[in-house]
Amino acid sequence: MRHSEFWSRLHEALGEVSARHWAETHAITELGSRTAVEALDAGESPRRVWLAVWRTLELPPSSR
């Protein structure tokens, strides 16, 4: 998964404005209590970050 696909999926799940804010402010335990943005900036793969976001938001299996 590329960064662009990660952001596209997050925008689809939360809306464009909310997605960026959520990704910058919501710490995810699975990512070491980092936000999605912090995890991506630290070099985590977008796929790993997406799966953590997916589980945290309890999105439907079709979004996986």
Side-chain angles (χ1 to χ4, degrees), residues 28-58:
I28 301 172
T29 303
E30 188 176 337
L31 298 174
S33 297
R34 295 178 293 180
T35 67
V37 170
E38 290 169 336
L40 290 169
D41 288 348
E44 293 287 350
S45 75
R47 180 71 180 160
R48 181 174 186 279
V49 176
W50 173 251
L51 290 175
V53 168
W54 177 80
R55 282 187 280 275
T56 300
L57 293 175
E58 299 178 345

Side-chain angles (χ1 to χ4, degrees), residues 2-39:
R2 295 174 184 249
H3 286 255
S4 59
E5 185 178 354
F6 169 85
W7 287 109
S8 178
R9 288 180 182 207
L10 195 57
H11 290 163
E12 186 176 319
L14 298 176
E16 248 179 86
V17 174
S18 296
R20 188 69 190 184
H21 176 74
W22 189 90
E24 291 175 342
T25 60
H26 189 86
I28 301 172
T29 303
E30 188 176 337
L31 298 174
S33 297
R34 295 178 293 180
T35 67
V37 170
E38 290 169 336

